[in-house]
Amino acid sequence: MKAQTIRSRRGTQPRLTLPPWQLLARSPVFAAVGAYVGMCLTARAWSDCPLGNDAAGETYLVIGTTPLVWFAMTAALLLCQLSLWGATLPLPGLRCLQWVLPVAVAVLLTVLYRAGMHSPVVQPDGTCMEGYPHFPFEPKQNPGPHG
């Protein structure tokens, strides 16, 4: 008798459900767009510096930094979406948060990425500080005035 009661209790426990793959597929897409836009904005900001966008720096930005930023953005967006998955939103209008919040987080992460890559300091005589950082919020590589 006791064994049947335990089995029946175990059978009624709710199972852990994962969100559908369509919901989880948004994170890498939003992160890819954010990382690409942040990379383009960084390259454009540094194009004013005559020596700031040399081929080696541009290659490292595209091949080295952007995939790492994409991975970090994807992880943050997945956490954001998984935190919303279990929430029961009472009003249908609030269900749009499952789209709006990840987009807002992606925009915020893109802005942080762009801010972390700094901007060149262009002097009135045309000299500037060259070499954006290899990863956001690191010191600039090869700092110094160049013309």
Side-chain angles (χ1 to χ4, degrees):
M1 186 75 154
K2 192 174 190 179
Q4 290 175 347
T5 308
I6 293 173
R7 282 188 199 138
S8 64
R9 285 185 198 161
R10 287 184 186 164
T12 60
Q13 290 179 353
R15 292 184 144 192
L16 177 66
T17 59
L18 293 175
W21 69 270
Q22 295 93 344
L23 181 71
L24 296 178
R26 295 179 202 165
S27 296
V29 172
F30 291 162
V33 170
Y36 178 75
V37 168
M39 185 229 9
C40 289
L41 291 174
T42 298
R44 176 177 274 184
W46 281 93
S47 66
D48 292 339
C49 187
L51 299 175
N53 256 352
D54 59 349
E58 187 75 24
T59 302
Y60 192 84
L61 177 67
V62 173
I63 295 174
T65 303
T66 305
L68 293 174
V69 169
W70 172 79
F71 182 74
M73 282 183 164
T74 300
L77 286 169
L78 277 173
L79 286 174
C80 171
Q81 287 188 316
L82 288 175
S83 68
L84 282 176
W85 174 246
T88 55
L89 302 172
L91 300 174
L94 292 178
R95 291 191 188 119
C96 71
L97 286 177
Q98 291 180 337
W99 276 94
V100 173
L101 189 62
V103 169
V105 170
V107 168
L108 176 70
L109 291 172
T110 302
V111 169
L112 281 174
Y113 171 39
R114 175 59 202 105
M117 293 304 283
H118 308 297
S119 291
V121 179
V122 180
Q123 303 296 331
D125 62 354
T127 60
C128 66
M129 298 286 286
E130 73 163 303
Y132 39 64
H134 284 176
F135 199 74
F137 299 103
E138 285 186 353
K140 294 178 185 176
Q141 305 298 320
N142 306 323
H146 296 279

